Every structure is written in C-alpha cells, then in structure tokens.
Amino acid sequence: MAEERRDQRDGRDAREGAQTAGEPWRRRVRAEEAQAWDALVETARRTVSDGLVVGTSGNVSARVGDIVLVTPSGVPYDRLTPDDTVGVDLDGRQVLGTLLPTSELPMHLAVYRSTDAHAVVHTHAVHATAVSTLVPELPSVHYMSGALGGPVRVAPYATYGTEELAENMLHALADRSACLLQNHGTIAYGDSLDQAYDRTAQLEWMCRLWLTASSVPGLSPTLLSGEQVAEAGERLRGYGQWG
C-alpha cells in the first residue's frame, strides 16, 4: 500500500514537473473553455443515461475558437472533472490536458474543418447501428429526416479512428448534419451541444421507428418522397420560439 501511494505521488510529481516545463499542452484552461468543458461532460453523461452509448464507446466534442475540446480516450464520463479538460487545435495537436484525446479524433476534426459546426456527438446507439448494417440509407419513414438535411446516408465501414473512416463520413454528411456509420454507430453535429445531441437522439428514434414498422409481417412502411422530406425540412427551419 505504501509503495502504491509512493508510485502515485511520484507519478503526480512527474506530471506537475512536466507542467512547469512550459510544454504547449499544459497551458491554463480559459474561462470560456472551462464553461464549454462542463457542458461537454454533461452531454457525454447524457449519452450514457439515455442509452445511446455503453461505457466509453461514444465521444463528444465542442469547438471554442480554434480549439476543439473532446472527451478523452477510455475514461468513464462520470469520472471526468474540470481538471481532465482535453483540447486540441484543428491540426490535432494537443494544447490542453494530459489525458489522450478520443481515438475518434480524426472524425471530429474532419467535421470542424469542413463545416461551421460548434459541437459533434458520436454514439453507438443500438437501433441506429442496427440500421447501418441493413441499408445504405435510412428510409424516409418520418419527416424529421428533413431536420437533418434529407435522407440519412450510411458511411461505408472503415476501422475506427482512421482517416479512411473520417473521409467516408464526410461523403455521407454532404448536405447533411448527421449520418450513420456502417457497423459502427452515428455522428451528428450542430451549432451547439444541445443541437448536436438532439439530432443524435432524433436519428436514433427514426431508426427505431423504421425497424419497428418493418418488423410487422406482410406489411411495409409507407415512406415519404424526397419532396415531402424537403418541404418538412424548410418548415422545420422556423420551428420553435423566436429570439
């Protein structure tokens, strides 16, 4: 036990010594980054409590200026504290924290480089992942497809954490704010963490709806046309309260 405490103390002293050495990823977290980190952790925990991920299987990020805050690799979300803030620049260089960023960092960075996104949510939601194994595109079973830019595409499979997967994802996201990842899960982005999360939840719900409707023997779901989905999408742009 004494050796364990000594090892922990030595490790902590080593990290603190590195922090004072002026390495670039040890800079202090700014106020706006701290606020965004708190919201990011809350969103990540919500993916678990709402059943969209199991354990540490998903990841969440938020952009603050030119810094991308992202959940660390392999750390349960209920253990994350303000001291665990992880941040990288748009080239993937770590500028905040000592924990390693999520292995899916290439996907997150690809979204930020290619869109005006301020938040990204990636999950392994059960129904959405099931649909990703069955079809190349989620059938338009509900008008909420319009809120995501149109019929949701499935990005071809590639090994997790690779540039190939990030490239496949970008093709599937063209003119869309969410897509499915074949045999993997979902990814959605938005102007805020709330919007990215809502799009993720809506996508999972539509996948569950289609699977449920498709399971009735002898019947097939009625699908919406492209025009109907596009019209709904236009109406949804003004949905909610003004201001």
Side-chain angles (χ1 to χ4, degrees), residues 6-8 11 35 42 51 68 70 79 98 122 127 129 134 142 148 155 173-174 200 205 213 215 235:
R6 185 167 58 252
D7 290 342
Q8 291 174 345
Q35 184 176 7
E42 181 181 351
V68 175
V70 63
R79 298 182 188 175
T98 58
H122 165 53
H127 299 92
T129 305
L134 298 172
H142 196 274
L148 304 180
L173 279 178
T200 300
W205 179 81
S215 68
R235 292 179 64 86

Side-chain angles (χ1 to χ4, degrees), residues 57-162:
S57 61
N59 29 79
V60 179
S61 67
R63 181 172 179 174
V64 181
D66 291 332
I67 300 301
V68 175
L69 304 177
V70 63
T71 48
S73 178
V75 180
Y77 301 140
D78 60 357
R79 298 182 188 175
L80 293 176
T81 72
D83 292 334
D84 297 320
T85 304
V86 176
V88 302
D89 64 20
L90 292 173
D91 292 323
R93 290 186 292 264
Q94 188 163 356
V95 297
L96 292 172
T98 58
L99 296 175
L100 292 176
T102 172
S103 58
E104 296 291 11
L105 185 60
M107 280 204 301
H108 290 260
L109 293 180
V111 172
Y112 291 117
R113 292 171 186 150
S114 304
T115 73
D116 57 358
H118 283 81
V120 176
V121 175
H122 165 53
T123 78
H124 293 180
V126 172
H127 299 92
T129 305
V131 170
S132 79
T133 70
L134 298 172
V135 291
E137 180 179 279
L138 173 64
S140 297
V141 72
H142 196 274
Y143 67 78
M144 282 304 293
S145 295
L148 304 180
V152 179
R153 306 183 189 103
V154 178
Y157 180 80
T159 304
Y160 79 93
T162 62

Side-chain angles (χ1 to χ4, degrees), residues 1 4 19 23 25 37 41-42 52 70 78 85 88 98 105 119 134 142 161 180 187 194-195 209:
M1 191 59 132
E4 181 179 346
Q19 186 168 359
E23 293 176 337
W25 59 87
W37 176 256
V41 171
E42 181 181 351
L52 298 178
V70 63
D78 60 357
T85 304
V88 302
T98 58
L105 185 60
L134 298 172
H142 196 274
L180 299 174
I187 194 160
D194 284 343
Q195 187 179 61
L209 174 63

Side-chain angles (χ1 to χ4, degrees), residues 217-235:
L219 297 175
S220 297
T222 300
L223 301 179
L224 301 177
S225 67
E227 291 76 12
Q228 289 171 321
V229 171
E231 181 181 0
E234 286 298 318
R235 292 179 64 86

